[in-house]
Amino acid sequence: MTPKRKPVVGGNWKMHLTLAEAQELGSEVRNRLNSYAAVQTLVFPPFPFLHAVGQRLQDSAIGLGAQDLHVEKKGAFTGAVSAEMLVSVGCKWVLVGHSERRHVFGDGDDLVANKLRVALAAGLKPVLCIGERLQERQAGDTFAVNRRQLRAALHGLSASDVQDLVVAYEPVWAIGTGLVATPEQAQEVHADVRSAIGELLGIAFATQVRIQYGGSVKPETAAGLFGKADVDGLLVGGASLKAEEFAAIVRARNA
Ligand code: PEP
């Protein structure tokens, strides 16, 4: 029997937009996708806009998430935002280990693992991002790098600890570059990621965990990616900033 995994598509707004633009985009995403029950839709606005965008999404099916979190609860950590703060402004989701956090801000495997635990403890649903760099792919290390990142993040956790986990496979060479992985490239990594999750957390959990692909997804490439057996959704950066494009990507699920 084919497992039922509801597709999940997230829009990562990164460090873009003003408050008014973010509110407008939130409303537009809601108008276009609230009734589209075939896909679970999430948005990840910048920290200062979370509460206001959350108000635009109130009582809708669109989930609100943050792009990162700090591991401490409170204290002298200038510029940082805690999991409790995110919960208090209405977040239900959080990205953990996005490649820009790993490679621009230097979040290592240990910090990512810690952030995952802190998110879970606060009741936030994590989207754990993993992915290899171009030189790692060229060296034939794609599977090994993704397995290492998974192992580091999930070490010591059980399937019941991470019930709502979503994993996003985002090859670093495809993020923001216009170079999208082919559906076949995505599928072969997703299948290996699922098998690695099975080894770490059990086959039953691996069969139902959702694995998103992310990296330069556009409306034209979304349907091909959705067509692969182990691609359960997409994480979208640039194309999520235009409601029309983002909605076309979400709706490509049934195309
Ligand atoms: C991302 O930020 O997760 C992402 C996939 O970005 P883009 O779609 O712009 O490559």
Side-chain angles (χ1 to χ4, degrees):
M1 208 176 73
T2 320
K4 285 208 170 38
R5 298 187 293 261
K6 181 164 179 158
V8 55
V9 177
N12 174 12
W13 298 357
K14 308 198 189 197
M15 196 175 74
H16 291 293
L17 309 173
T18 61
L19 173 61
E21 289 165 348
Q23 287 174 301
E24 172 68 18
L25 182 55
S27 296
E28 274 297 302
V29 168
R30 179 188 187 138
N31 293 342
R32 288 166 193 264
L33 294 169
N34 188 36
S35 59
Y36 197 67
V39 172
Q40 181 173 19
T41 302
L42 311 175
V43 293
F44 297 89
F47 288 138
F49 310 147
L50 282 168
H51 186 249
V53 173
Q55 287 181 321
R56 298 292 176 109
L57 301 179
Q58 215 160 23
D59 300 321
S60 80
I62 315 293
L64 181 71
Q67 299 171 17
D68 187 37
L69 77 168
H70 190 66
V71 292
E72 299 293 340
K73 278 194 192 323
K74 59 181 172 181
F77 302 102
T78 301
V81 176
S82 72
E84 287 71 15
M85 290 173 179
L86 297 179
V87 170
S88 78
V89 294
C91 280
K92 299 277 189 276
W93 293 84
V94 65
L95 299 181
V96 176
H98 188 276
S99 82
E100 286 145 22
R101 293 301 320 174
R102 290 179 189 264
H103 302 301
V104 178
F105 295 95
D107 289 12
D109 282 344
D110 289 350
L111 181 55
V112 171
N114 203 356
K115 287 185 175 184
L116 181 65
R117 277 152 187 75
V118 168
L120 291 166
L124 289 164
K125 300 177 189 183
V127 177
L128 171 65
C129 305
I130 57 172
E132 80 287 357
R133 298 201 218 200
L134 183 59
Q135 59 272 36
E136 293 165 332
R137 173 164 281 264
Q138 287 168 339
D141 292 337
T142 297
F143 292 169
V145 169
N146 284 288
R147 279 178 171 254
R148 190 206 73 223
Q149 292 177 354
L150 270 178
R151 229 179 7 254
L154 298 176
H155 179 75
L157 295 173
S158 67
S160 62
D161 293 328
V162 291
Q163 276 173 41
D164 296 311
L165 176 75
V166 170
V167 174
Y169 165 58
E170 300 205 291
V172 181
W173 49 270
I175 298 184
T177 59
L179 286 177
V180 65
T182 64
E184 292 68 31
Q185 283 174 319
Q187 170 58 27
E188 69 168 2
V189 180
H190 281 226
D192 193 65
V193 164
R194 195 177 302 286
S195 138
I197 293 172
E199 289 161 30
L200 293 163
L201 298 176
I203 299 293
F205 180 76
T207 306
Q208 54 95 20
V209 71
R210 293 175 295 174
I211 307 174
Q212 297 178 307
Y213 166 80
S216 296
V217 177
K218 297 278 179 290
E220 311 81 67
T221 50
L225 290 157
F226 268 132
K228 291 299 179 188
D230 287 293
V231 177
D232 308 311
L234 303 167
L235 185 54
V236 185
S240 71
L241 295 170
K242 293 205 174 86
E244 196 179 339
E245 273 193 49
F246 185 57
I249 288 171
V250 173
R251 288 172 182 275
R253 170 63 179 80
N254 277 354

